[in-house]
């Protein structure tokens, strides 16, 4: 009996629990239903303003990206960009401007959407007002759809902006402003209209030219205007997007005052009319930044150096050609370079390096020359590379293949002399090449001339006899013409083992068929060309070594000859390492009286910058001591620029003695008006040039 009573009690409890559960479930359902009905019956008014970045103080993220990726505020790549001030409002737009609010009901996942139209007041203020039925989080999106001044029937998304808001029961009226940003709609256009103010002394600005990259040809400008005043100085209709332009400012004589590489952001339907970023030459006026051309900017243009090849009243003025065959020479205190390759730079200082090479090195020492036509010519294995100035440095303008000029020069049957040249004169290039004859297994050396305008080539055999011995013109050369008298100056190698080389002066004539050398009537060499020779012997150099001739340059009727000498240490006979060189000069207007011999420099030395030990007739070539490094050469390689009243030379060598190794990669400038070693300007640069340090059997140069 007692057990049955307990079971009844348990059953009663179970039944009671079920009833309570059902009541609770039904009660909760009614409560939820009541709450949903309250939301449906509620109405929440949301209002707000629509503003552009200029009105809100916000800047589109794209502009920040442009600025962050830009350079410094005074360089060619500036920390600034041109964009829209967004002050034009919406008057130029024709279309629908709406705000759409969306909300997701948590219980069902249903998406609720409400839309209203943006209203514009008479003063241009944009507002919206929308009724929302539910509490919770709403996402707002403002979009301007339409077209520009009836120019297209296609609906375009010009402006977009979004925001979120949390709606609560106790607030029936809320406010939320939305910032809209412009968009880049495909196949749409915008406009650039920028003001420029000239505050230079005497108002130097006369002309403005604008080029759009990547096209860097100086003849392909997209805008060329004569400057009159600051209003709308640069006006360009262009596609929406991000553009890179080079702006060049000129005076009335066509001289470039200043140039800068600028990024400009053009939004669909908007006018790019202001600058944004960091620059000392901007001035803020009426909400817009104006570019101001100042004397300080012009001074900066001068100080940063000149990449152009220009002709001054004192002669040609060119930039500098530098190169690195490796990025690291392998020893402590050895030369380093950021990259390998060749680069043309506007100035020389201790930070100069190869960081943006325009050419790879096909030869360890590049063969190049400057033309007074504004181009730099590089002689390579089967062609001529023609480079010219652009806004980002020098670029390849043209490749002239030898086969396109001379059909016999095809395949691999010829090679270019790697010891110097070419030489430029009067729109022609002169250089040496070797042609192999497979039928006779022989090689013939030729002196070649290419007429760059006519695109024709002529050549003559470069071999000749001198004092009964065979020689061949080879390597570095220079061409000069005075009163229609043409002269070739060149290095010539002896074909006899151990023979002494020559520096020759050969008159020649130019005919319709090419180059013609006058032949000698001498009985010993009846077929030899008329010439004067300077033997590259120890006696003529006045030292105990035969120096190598590495380059020639004619300036102000003087022939300058670079010489160098390298020798590694030999422990057997206690011979020290040698890395040295210097400059010979021949005054061409005195040769008729003195013969083809060098003239001493003003301090009495024959070879400027060559370090020697001993005295009298027993001068021995030696490497300059480190404490006298700035007064002597360690190995002149090439003339790397043409400058009025000075010589500019790549000096490539090293000081090596016992455990001391000091690589010498330098640019040396010699002031020709002073003609003294004290006027030699030496700058260590971060390039490696050609000579490399090797530690096989002791450290030496190779």
């Amino acid at each position: 009996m007692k057990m049955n009573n307990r079971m009844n009690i348990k059953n009663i409890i179970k039944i009671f629990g079920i009833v309570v559960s059902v009541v609770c479930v039904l009660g909760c359902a009614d409560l939820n239903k009541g709450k949903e009905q309250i939301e449906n019956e509620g109405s929440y008014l949301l209002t707000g303003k629509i503003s552009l970045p200029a009105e809100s103080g916000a800047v589109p993220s794209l502009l920040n990206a442009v600025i962050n990726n830009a350079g410094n505020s005074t360089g060619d790549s500036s920390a600034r960009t041109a964009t829209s001030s967004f002050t034009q409002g919406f008057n130029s737009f024709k279309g629908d401007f709406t705000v759409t609010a969306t909300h997701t009901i948590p219980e069902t996942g249903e998406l609720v959407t409400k839309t209203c139209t943006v209203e514009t007041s008479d003063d241009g203020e944009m507002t919206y007002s929308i009724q929302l039925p539910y509490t919770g989080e709403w996402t707002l999106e403002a979009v301007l759809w339409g077209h520009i001044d009836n120019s297209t029937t296609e609906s375009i998304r010009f402006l977009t902006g979004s925001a979120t808001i949390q709606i609560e029961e106790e607030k029936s009226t809320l406010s939320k402003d939305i910032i809209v940003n412009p968009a880049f709609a495909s196949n749409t256009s915008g406009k650039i209209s920028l003001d420029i103010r000239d505050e230079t002394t005497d108002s130097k600005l006369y002309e403005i030219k604008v080029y759009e990259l990547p096209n860097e040809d100086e003849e392909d400008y997209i805008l060329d205007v004569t400057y009159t005043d600051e209003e709308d100085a640069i006006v360009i209709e262009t596609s929406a997007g991000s553009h890179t332009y080079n702006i060049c400012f000129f005076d009335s004589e066509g001289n470039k005052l200043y140039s800068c590489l600028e990024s400009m952001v053009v939004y669909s339907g908007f006018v790019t009319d202001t600058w944004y970023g960091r620059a000392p030459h901007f001035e803020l006026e009426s909400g817009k930044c104006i570019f101001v051309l100042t004397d300080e900017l012009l001074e900066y243009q001068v100080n940063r150096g000149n990449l152009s090849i220009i002709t001054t009243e004192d002669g040609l003025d060119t930039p500098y050609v530098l190169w690195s065959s490796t990025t690291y020479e392998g020893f402590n205190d050895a030369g380093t370079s950021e990259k390998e390759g060749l680069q043309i730079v506007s100035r020389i200082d201790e930070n100069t390096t190869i960081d943006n090479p325009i050419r790879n090195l096909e030869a360890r020492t590049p063969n190049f020359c400057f033309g007074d036509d504004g181009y730099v010519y590089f002689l390579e294995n089967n062609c001529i590379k023609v480079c010219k100035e652009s806004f980002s440095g020098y670029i390849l303008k043209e490749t002239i293949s030898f086969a396109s000029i001379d059909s016999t020069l095809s395949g691999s049957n010829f090679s270019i002399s790697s010891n110097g040249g070419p030489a430029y004169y009067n729109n022609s290039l002169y250089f040496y090449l070797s042609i192999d004859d497979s039928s006779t297994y022989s090689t013939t050396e030729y002196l070649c001339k290419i007429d760059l305008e006519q695109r024709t080539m002529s050549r003559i055999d470069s071999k000749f006899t001198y004092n009964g011995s065979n020689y061949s013109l080879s390597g570095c050369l220079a061409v000069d013409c005075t009163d229609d008298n043409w002269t070739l100056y060149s290095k010539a190698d002896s074909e006899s083992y151990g023979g002494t080389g020559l520096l020759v002066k050969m008159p020649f004539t130019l005919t319709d068929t090419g180059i013609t050398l006058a032949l000698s009537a001498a009985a010993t060499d009846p077929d030899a060309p008329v010439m004067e020779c300077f033997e590259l012997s120890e006696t003529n150099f006045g030292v105990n070594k035969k120096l190598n001739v590495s380059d020639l340059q004619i300036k102000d009727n003087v022939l300058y000859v670079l010489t160098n000498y390298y020798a590694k240490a030999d422990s057997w006979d206690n011979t020290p390492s040698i890395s040295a060189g210097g400059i010979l000069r021949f005054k061409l207007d005195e040769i008729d009286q003195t013969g083809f011999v060098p003239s001493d420099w003003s301090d009495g030395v024959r070879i400027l910058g060559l370090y020697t030990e001993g005295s009298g007739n027993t001068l021995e070539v030696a490497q300059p001591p480190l404490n006298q490094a700035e007064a002597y050469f360690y190995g002149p390689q090439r003339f790397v620029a043409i400058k009025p009243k000075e010589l500019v030379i790549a000096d490539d060598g090293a000081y090596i003695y016992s455990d001391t190794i000091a690589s010498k990669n330098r640019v040396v400038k010699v002031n020709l008006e002073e003609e003294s070693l004290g006027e030699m300007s030496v700058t260590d640069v971060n390039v490696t040039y050609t000579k490399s340090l090797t530690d096989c059997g002791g450290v030496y140069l190779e």
Side-chain angles (χ1 to χ4, degrees):
M1 291 294 295
K2 292 181 179 178
M3 183 177 293
N4 290 336
N5 289 337
R6 288 173 183 162
M7 289 296 294
N8 289 337
I9 293 172
K10 287 182 179 180
N11 292 333
I12 292 169
I13 292 173
K14 286 182 180 180
I15 294 169
F16 179 77
I18 293 171
V19 171
V20 171
S21 298
V22 171
V23 171
C24 289
V25 170
L26 293 174
C28 290
D30 288 341
L31 289 174
N32 284 334
K33 181 178 180 182
K35 185 175 181 181
E36 183 178 326
Q37 288 173 343
I38 291 172
E39 288 179 339
N40 285 332
E41 293 169 358
S43 181
Y44 303 91
L45 178 63
L46 178 63
T47 63
K49 294 181 181 180
I50 306 295
S51 59
L52 286 160
E55 301 165 3
S56 63
V59 175
S61 59
L62 173 64
L63 300 190
N64 284 323
V66 171
I67 297 303
N68 292 335
N69 292 329
N72 57 61
S73 61
T74 56
D76 295 331
S77 179
S78 62
R80 56 185 178 261
T81 186
T83 185
S84 177
S85 62
F86 304 110
T87 56
Q88 69 192 76
F90 301 92
N91 296 330
S92 62
F93 295 97
K94 308 296 181 184
D96 297 324
F97 202 171
T98 60
V99 172
T100 300
T102 57
H103 168 72
T104 302
I105 299 175
E107 295 77 19
T108 64
E110 178 186 354
L111 184 66
V112 180
T113 302
K114 298 293 182 180
T115 302
C116 70
T117 300
V118 175
E119 302 293 334
T120 306
S121 65
D122 293 338
D123 60 3
E125 185 178 67
M126 308 294 291
T127 60
Y128 73 96
S129 177
I130 189 170
Q131 295 283 345
L132 303 178
Y134 298 113
T135 58
E137 184 177 86
W138 288 79
T139 299
L140 310 174
E141 183 180 26
V143 179
L144 172 61
W145 293 87
H147 49 272
I148 308 171
D149 293 333
N150 300 316
S151 59
T152 177
T153 58
E154 182 181 355
S155 186
I156 296 169
R157 192 169 183 157
F158 289 116
L159 294 168
T160 61
S162 62
T164 59
I165 188 170
Q166 186 75 28
I167 295 181
E168 301 174 357
E169 273 191 61
E170 61 271 15
K171 294 182 180 180
S172 59
T173 302
L174 299 98
S175 178
K176 185 67 175 181
D177 294 339
I178 304 174
I179 299 170
V180 290
N181 284 309
F184 296 136
S186 60
N187 301 319
T188 62
S189 64
K191 182 179 180 180
I192 296 172
S193 181
L194 293 166
D195 300 338
I196 304 292
R197 183 187 302 151
D198 181 12
E199 290 187 358
T200 61
T201 304
D202 299 327
S203 299
K204 297 181 178 66
L205 181 57
Y206 175 79
E207 183 182 20
I208 302 173
K209 289 185 178 181
V210 180
Y211 304 79
E212 182 169 11
L213 273 63
N215 190 345
E216 301 188 89
D217 193 318
E218 63 181 9
E219 299 175 358
D220 291 337
Y221 47 81
I222 64 170
L223 180 69
D224 183 5
V225 295
T226 301
Y227 178 80
T228 54
D229 55 42
E230 65 186 59
E231 295 295 330
D232 299 330
I234 298 175
V235 178
I236 304 170
E237 298 280 352
T238 188
S239 60
S242 181
H243 301 265
T244 303
Y245 296 103
N246 186 273
I247 307 175
C248 300
F249 303 91
F250 299 88
D251 63 17
S252 58
E253 296 181 356
N255 299 311
K256 185 187 294 183
L257 300 172
Y258 180 74
S259 65
C260 51
L261 202 64
E262 304 293 351
S263 294
M264 297 189 186
V265 180
V266 180
Y267 295 107
S268 304
F270 281 92
V271 177
T272 295
D273 58 356
T274 188
W275 297 91
Y276 171 77
R278 305 181 303 275
H281 46 277
F282 288 162
E283 289 188 9
L284 184 63
E285 283 188 5
S286 303
K288 296 192 300 184
C289 277
I290 296 177
F291 190 108
V292 182
L293 191 67
T294 64
D295 289 332
E296 289 76 15
L297 277 184
L298 304 194
E299 182 65 23
Y300 168 74
Q301 180 88 8
V302 172
N303 291 338
R304 71 179 176 177
N306 178 45
L307 269 177
S308 302
I309 299 174
I310 60 177
T311 301
T312 70
E313 58 184 25
D314 293 322
L316 207 61
D317 190 344
T318 75
Y320 307 84
V321 175
L322 300 179
W323 63 96
S324 289
S325 57
T326 182
T327 57
Y328 177 52
E329 290 181 329
F331 292 86
N332 292 334
D333 298 324
T336 61
S337 174
E338 185 171 330
K339 296 180 180 179
E340 295 180 7
L342 179 146
Q343 188 168 334
I344 300 176
V345 299
S346 60
R347 61 187 302 172
I348 297 295
D349 57 36
E350 64 277 5
N351 297 316
T352 301
T353 188
I354 307 300
D355 56 8
N356 185 27
I358 64 167
R359 306 291 309 142
N360 294 323
L361 292 176
E362 292 199 3
R364 294 193 65 187
T365 301
N367 298 319
F368 67 91
C369 66
F370 298 98
D372 59 14
D373 54 358
Y375 297 100
V376 184
Y377 297 90
F378 295 93
L379 198 62
E380 299 191 353
N381 285 339
N382 58 1
C383 64
I384 297 169
K385 301 288 188 180
V386 185
C387 294
K388 68 173 298 183
E389 181 191 8
S390 72
F391 312 124
S392 57
Y394 270 71
I395 59 172
L396 179 63
K397 172 67 175 178
E398 184 182 8
T399 298
I400 305 174
S401 69
F402 294 134
S404 67
I405 299 175
D406 187 335
S407 59
T408 64
L409 299 177
S410 59
S412 58
N413 67 324
F414 67 97
S415 60
I416 300 297
S417 171
S418 60
N419 299 319
Y424 177 95
Y425 197 94
N426 196 27
N427 207 32
S428 293
L429 294 178
Y430 298 81
F431 57 94
Y432 298 111
L433 62 77
S434 303
I435 299 179
D436 299 325
D437 188 339
S438 58
S439 62
T440 60
Y441 300 99
S442 62
T443 299
T444 304
E445 304 279 346
Y446 289 96
L447 167 64
C448 299
K449 171 184 175 289
I450 287 183
D451 187 313
L452 295 170
E453 183 177 355
Q454 301 297 326
R455 298 299 168 93
T456 57
M457 177 188 287
S458 55
R459 60 177 184 257
I460 58 173
D461 196 324
S462 68
K463 294 184 179 180
F464 64 93
T465 56
Y466 172 73
N467 288 343
S469 298
N470 294 326
Y471 288 84
S472 178
L473 299 172
S474 179
C476 52
L477 71 164
V479 173
D480 190 30
C481 183
T482 303
D483 298 329
D484 291 330
N485 295 315
W486 291 84
T487 306
L488 170 71
Y489 299 92
S490 177
K491 176 185 175 183
D493 294 328
S494 172
E495 296 189 354
S496 301
Y497 179 77
T500 300
L502 303 172
L503 187 65
V504 301
K505 172 181 178 287
M506 286 184 176
F508 67 93
T509 58
L510 293 177
T511 65
D512 293 339
T513 58
I515 305 172
T516 301
L517 297 177
L519 297 180
S520 170
T524 54
D525 299 308
D527 295 326
V530 174
M531 61 183 172
E532 296 180 64
C533 298
F534 175 78
E535 292 190 8
L536 304 177
S537 63
E538 297 94 325
T539 300
N540 283 343
F541 285 129
V543 294
N544 66 328
K545 302 293 184 183
K546 293 181 181 179
L547 305 181
N548 173 60
V549 171
S550 59
D551 205 5
L552 308 177
Q553 186 176 107
I554 297 175
K555 180 183 291 295
D556 299 328
N557 213 25
V558 178
L559 173 66
Y560 296 96
V561 181
L562 296 186
T563 65
N564 56 46
Y565 183 82
Y566 302 100
K568 66 178 181 178
D570 191 334
S571 58
W572 290 100
D573 57 6
N574 200 29
T575 301
S577 174
I578 300 177
S579 176
I583 311 172
L584 284 168
R585 68 172 183 175
F586 294 77
K587 294 184 177 181
L588 302 183
D589 55 359
E590 297 179 2
I591 289 178
D592 290 341
Q593 291 76 36
T594 63
F596 191 47
V597 295
S599 301
D600 289 346
W601 295 81
S602 57
D603 54 2
V605 299
R606 169 159 289 191
I607 305 176
L608 182 70
L610 177 67
Y611 183 79
T612 58
E613 295 176 344
S615 60
N617 296 324
T618 58
L619 295 178
E620 296 184 358
V621 177
Q623 64 179 359
L626 284 179
N627 61 1
Q628 299 183 55
E630 294 191 359
Y632 297 96
F633 287 103
Y634 282 88
Q637 284 285 333
R638 292 295 309 270
F639 291 106
V640 294
I642 302 174
K643 296 288 183 182
K645 307 301 181 183
E646 69 179 10
L647 302 176
V648 186
I649 300 149
D651 189 35
D652 184 15
Y655 177 87
I656 303 172
Y657 183 78
S658 185
D659 294 332
T660 301
I661 304 169
S663 180
K664 295 297 181 182
N665 301 309
R666 316 185 298 178
V667 172
V668 178
K669 298 180 181 179
V670 179
N671 187 317
L672 294 177
E673 293 182 323
E674 298 296 332
E675 291 189 10
S676 65
L677 296 179
E679 295 300 323
M680 185 184 295
S681 171
V682 178
T683 304
D684 292 297
V685 288
N686 295 312
V687 303
T688 59
Y689 292 129
T690 303
K691 290 293 179 181
S692 60
L693 293 166
T694 302
D695 64 351
C696 180
V699 178
Y700 65 94
L701 282 162
E702 66 170 3

